[in-house]
Structures are given as C-alpha cells and as structure tokens.
Amino acid sequence: MAEEEYIQLKEAAEMWGVSVRRVQTLCAEGRIPGAKRMGRDWVIPTTAQKPRDGRTRAGREVYGGNTDVDMPMPLKTPFLYMSRMYYAPGCAEEAIKRLEYNFEAQTIFSSEIALARGDIDKVYERANYLLEKHSGFYAILAAGTLLAHCAIWRGDLNMWRKAKIHIAEAGTKDHSKTELVSLCICAVDSLLYDVKDFPEWFKIGCFELLHKDSLPAAKVYYAKYLYATGYGIASQKIELEGIKGLALMGLLPATIEPMISQAMADNTVITEIYLRLICAVAYHYSKNDKQAIRHIDRAVAIALPDKLFGILAEYCRTLGSLLEQRVRAVDNEAWEKISGLYINYVNNWSRLNSKITGRQIVEKLSAQYREVARLAAFKLSDAEIAERMNMSVPGVKQAIRIIKQKSNLDRDDFAAIL
C-alpha cells in the first residue's frame, strides 16, 4: 500500500476556498479524517474532502434545516469540554460558536462549559432537553453525566438515580461501547469518592478499548480514583497489602505529573485544570505546599479567563485556605463568586452523600478543625498533627474534643468529615 501523502493547511485552504484558520478549526474538531499534528501544525491527507459546512444554507439543507436531526459527533466522546475542543484558556465562546454546524454537539459542549462555570440551572435544562429528545449515544451519556453533576449541586437523590439509569440505558443503544458507559459510571461515582465497584480494567488504568477522544477524560477520572483510594487507605477504610497511611497519597504526583504534561501537549485545557487541582491536593496532604501552590496557580490562571468558577469551587473543600489565598492574590472578586458557589456545592454534596452512604457528613466545622479531623482520620498522632499544622499539642487535643462534640463521632470515625 502506498504511503499516505499530506499537504499543509495553506494548500488545503486554497484548494477548498476557505481560510487557513477555518481548516485549522476543522482539524481540531476532528472533521477531517486522517488529519494529524506535525509539531505545532496540522497536515492533511491529499485525498481528504472538504467537510460539509453546517453553518451554510446548503449544509443545513442536507438535514432539512432541522436542528433536531442528529449529526455525527465531531469527537467520539461525551466529555467534549475535556477534549482538544477547549484548546486554550478563554476560548469557550469561540469553541461554542464553531459548533454551529452541529446543534447536538454545541448543546453538549455549552452545557459542560456551564457546569464548569457553576451555572447549574442551565446545565439541568439542557441535560433534560437532550434526554427528552431521544438523542444519540454520546449525547445520552453526556446528558446523564451532566444530570449527575446537577444532582450533586442540588443534593437530589432521585435525580442522581435517574442520571445513572440514563447512562446505563445508553449502553443498550451500542453494545460495542460498554467501556465508555463504564467510564461515565466511574465519572459520576468518583464525585462521591465511591470507587468500590469500578471495573478492573479501570483500576489498573488500561484504557486500550476506549477511543482516543475519551482518553483525556479517562485520565481525569483515573486520577480521581487514585486520590479516593489514597484517601481510603490513609483513613483505613480501604486495605491494600503493603500500603498504609499516606504512602499512596505521597506517590500520586509521580503518576499525575506526566498526565499534566500530556494534557499541555494535547492542548486539553479543562483536563489540565482538573489534573492540576487533584495533584495539588495530593501534594497538600503530603506536606508539600510549595508544589501544591505551583499547580493551584496554574489551574487558577487558565480557569479565570472563562470564569470556570464551578471547577474551582469543587476543590475548596480539599484545598481550603490554600486555594483561597492563591485566588485572592490575583482576583478577589472571583474568589467571592467561587466561595458562594462552594457553599452551595458542599452543602448539597454532603446531603446527597449522606443519603447514599448513610453517613452523616459534618459541615459545621472551621477549615482548621476540618483539617485536624482529616489528619486524625489519616491516623496521625496529636504530635504529628501539631507539627503539620503549626499548632501546639494541647491545641490539637482541644480541637479534637471540639470536633467530637460537634460531630458526635469518635476519632476513629473522623473519615466521615471528608
């Protein structure tokens, strides 16, 4: 078979009568089969045909001008915002506009951006729209996953169950993509740190059967799985032979750092934000705040241009005052909005978690007391907690007494104060 020949962007643009930027966009959206990156530029097979432009009248006529008719997804993933579609900080609105040719994909992507911003009412409305109009396989998975996020932000158990049912039922549409359905289930379960039922292939990070377009999202949820496992081991809720305490938590950055570098190379910005925040948490718990701050600062820098406050709000609980300090240093107004979202998120997250697990999640604790409780759950001694938090040992003992009083929990059960 003859080796495939390629042309540059400029040549394709001249041949198709469009701008170089337009060809670049088509490549980024995966709409030119065989196009690939060579360094920082794209090259295109000489046999490639100009994709039909759904933004034009002629393009729309193929589908009868009907936005309810499903077009093929530009990428084979329900997590469009974690893909290369979101390729640079602040590009959300441009990326949404580029999807005008594909109404379903545009609805999914814009809904995911709304989630990242913390606009849950918009997410809920659009997720239900996709579910009610009997969308395609990827759209149903995306809508179910979005609905699960809404359940978290609203503390709604029935909505949570409905979301998981929709995801599971999407598998009946395409039995060949059971791994992708499983990935979506893992994604929503990881929101509550529930990793006990994850499939074995996921636990070892074997994503060979997933399409490459879903790999950025798989890395995010794999990092969340590792963190949840590390937390479970540290609090003795999970047993893993040969690993105790914070040992696994301390090893997480060695796994996540290369993922971050790959996310940067792939220009998958949302994926990079999530991975940096997870890595920052692991560093923070491993008493390495210098490295935690490095990742927090970069995550904040690439999240703020598009006001992705919802993502940052999700990590206020685990990064606490460290995240607050870093955000306030660059944008105090942004922090006020993030903290407002956080209060809503954490209260409803706790409510839903309590309903599902039967555990009472304790919220009425200061950030300092919550950190003391977390370290006690990790089985650190009073002296070790005092050293880590720059407190006196009597101060730690007093904090433990107050935590017990407010939570009605024994020290061995402090893991409930996640």
Side-chain angles (χ1 to χ4, degrees):
M1 181 180 292
E3 185 176 346
E4 182 76 78
E5 296 183 359
Y6 293 88
I7 57 175
Q8 303 296 317
L9 291 178
K10 185 177 180 181
E11 296 174 79
E14 291 174 352
M15 182 169 61
W16 294 341
V18 298
S19 67
V20 171
R21 185 175 180 81
R22 179 59 183 159
V23 180
Q24 213 168 18
T25 297
L26 293 170
C27 290
E29 291 174 352
R31 298 186 61 212
I32 303 179
K36 63 182 183 180
R37 280 191 180 279
M38 294 289 287
R40 300 185 64 180
D41 297 320
W42 289 91
V43 292
I44 297 166
T46 55
T47 56
Q49 301 294 311
K50 177 185 176 182
R52 189 176 296 276
D53 192 345
R55 302 172 303 167
T56 66
R57 180 176 179 181
R60 288 192 296 272
E61 284 176 352
V62 174
Y63 300 95
N66 185 359
T67 57
D68 283 338
V69 175
D70 297 332
M71 294 174 66
M73 289 291 283
L75 297 174
K76 295 184 183 302
T77 176
F79 305 99
L80 292 178
Y81 74 143
M82 290 189 189
S83 73
R84 61 183 181 272
M85 279 191 171
Y86 193 104
Y87 59 88
C91 78
E93 298 307 320
E94 178 190 343
I96 291 170
K97 186 173 178 59
R98 289 204 316 267
L99 286 169
E100 286 177 337
Y101 72 93
N102 189 326
F103 183 72
E104 187 169 85
Q106 186 182 57
T107 301
I108 293 169
F109 184 81
S110 62
S111 301
E112 291 171 336
I113 294 299
L115 172 66
R117 289 170 171 166
D119 189 351
I120 303 307
D121 288 342
K122 183 181 290 186
V123 178
Y124 179 74
E125 175 189 348
R126 293 180 178 178
N128 277 298
Y129 164 77
L130 289 168
L131 293 170
E132 290 168 3
K133 87 178 198 68
H134 307 295
S135 303
F137 173 72
Y138 291 102
I140 292 295
L141 288 181
T145 305
L146 288 166
L147 194 64
H149 279 276
C150 291
I152 292 280
W153 282 83
R154 293 184 174 183
D156 191 321
L157 180 59
N158 288 331
M159 190 186 300
W160 175 263
R161 290 171 174 165
K162 178 182 176 183
K164 294 189 73 171
I165 289 171
H166 281 300
I167 293 171
E169 288 181 345
T172 63
K173 288 191 171 188
D174 194 332
H175 295 289
S176 68
K177 297 185 177 68
T178 56
E179 288 79 12
L180 187 54
V181 173
S182 293
L183 174 61
C184 290
I185 294 292
C186 291
V188 300
D189 283 346
S190 70
L191 296 172
L192 296 176
Y193 305 110
D194 180 7
V195 299
K196 62 182 182 299
D197 294 326
F198 281 21
E200 289 304 315
W201 60 265
F202 187 94
K203 291 179 179 179
I204 62 173
C206 180
F207 304 134
E208 294 176 356
L209 295 178
L210 292 174
H211 191 277
K212 64 180 181 180
D213 292 339
S214 288
L215 292 181
K219 292 173 185 175
V220 169
Y221 295 115
Y222 185 61
K224 287 189 174 188
Y225 160 73
L226 292 176
Y227 164 74
T229 303
Y231 190 98
I233 290 171
S235 58
Q236 297 185 1
K237 298 298 180 183
I238 296 175
E239 293 185 4
L240 198 61
E241 187 176 352
I243 300 179
K244 293 183 179 180
L246 288 166
L248 181 58
M249 195 73 75
L251 294 173
L252 290 191
T255 299
I256 301 174
E257 289 278 12
M259 294 184 189
I260 294 170
S261 297
Q262 189 62 53
M264 294 175 66
D266 293 340
N267 296 319
T268 50
V269 177
I270 299 287
T271 297
E272 182 185 343
I273 294 172
Y274 271 114
L275 289 173
R276 285 190 182 276
L277 291 171
I278 298 166
C279 198
V281 173
Y283 274 128
H284 178 53
Y285 286 167
S286 302
K287 202 181 177 183
N288 190 345
D289 280 353
K290 180 179 179 180
Q291 294 301 326
I293 287 170
R294 173 171 66 89
H295 285 299
I296 292 171
D297 285 351
R298 175 59 181 168
V300 169
I302 59 182
L304 290 189
D306 260 328
K307 300 181 179 180
L308 307 180
F309 301 149
I311 296 178
L312 297 175
E314 290 181 37
Y315 287 84
C316 289
R317 185 182 182 91
T318 46
L319 289 171
S321 60
L322 199 60
L323 180 59
E324 178 180 357
Q325 292 166 8
R326 306 315 294 178
V327 177
R328 282 192 185 278
V330 294
D331 193 333
N332 192 63
E333 185 178 343
W335 173 253
E336 296 303 321
K337 293 177 180 177
I338 291 165
S339 61
L341 287 171
Y342 165 65
I343 292 170
N344 176 62
Y345 177 82
V346 74
N347 287 339
N348 286 309
W349 178 91
S350 300
R351 185 180 305 129
L352 181 60
N353 199 314
S354 296
K355 290 175 181 176
I356 292 174
T357 65
R359 295 185 309 176
Q360 183 61 43
I361 306 300
V362 181
E363 283 306 319
K364 295 181 179 179
L365 292 174
S366 68
Q368 184 186 48
Y369 283 175
R370 188 177 298 115
E371 186 66 12
V372 169
R374 183 178 287 115
L375 295 175
F378 289 165
K379 309 307 177 185
L380 272 65
S381 68
D382 291 349
E384 290 171 322
I385 295 172
E387 180 185 1
R388 181 165 297 206
M389 296 197 63
N390 295 317
M391 297 172 65
S392 66
V393 173
V396 172
K397 291 182 182 296
Q398 174 68 7
I400 295 292
R401 283 195 293 271
I402 292 173
I403 294 166
K404 287 180 177 180
Q405 290 169 3
K406 289 190 174 184
S407 67
N408 292 318
L409 293 171
D410 292 329
R411 184 169 179 147
D412 288 343
D413 296 320
F414 278 5
I417 311 172
L418 294 173

